[in-house]
Amino acid sequence: MVRTPLTPEERERGERLGRLLREARGGRSMADVATSAGLSAETLRKIETGRAPTPAFFTVAALARTLGLSMDEIVERCALVVV
C-alpha cells in the first residue's frame, strides 16, 4: 500500500501536536509519559519531533489521558489553519 504524501499543512499540524505534547509533559520524562500511555518512548519522541505527524487516534487519546489534555483542546490547538 502506497501512502500519499502529507501536505505542508498536515506536517505543520503534526508539529503543533508535538509542541503541545512537549509543553503538557513539562518536567515528566518521555519514558514515564510513554509508559503511562502504553507507548514506546521512541513513538512519543517521533510524535513530539514531528517525524510521526499523523499518529493513530487511540495513540493521541492515550497521550491526552496521560497528560490531562482534553481531545477538544488538542483539536483546537492543532487544527489545520485554512487561509
Side-chain angles (χ1 to χ4, degrees):
M1 181 168 114
V2 176
R3 189 171 188 178
T4 58
L6 298 174
T7 66
E9 292 82 12
E10 290 168 326
R11 289 190 183 282
E12 175 59 31
R13 181 178 57 199
E15 291 171 5
R16 285 194 300 273
L17 174 62
R19 282 192 298 272
L20 172 62
L21 295 176
R22 278 193 307 278
E23 290 170 12
R25 184 164 56 85
R28 292 176 68 182
S29 75
M30 192 176 285
D32 176 50
V33 171
T35 300
S36 295
L39 308 171
S40 70
E42 177 66 12
T43 297
L44 179 55
R45 184 183 67 73
K46 286 179 180 178
I47 295 168
E48 284 190 358
T49 60
R51 288 189 51 223
T54 58
F57 172 82
F58 290 104
T59 299
V60 176
L63 287 167
R65 183 191 69 243
T66 298
L67 296 170
L69 297 169
S70 73
M71 293 301 283
D72 286 338
E73 180 179 4
I74 292 173
V75 169
E76 288 171 12
R77 297 209 27 209
C78 299
L80 287 175
V81 177
V82 180
V83 184

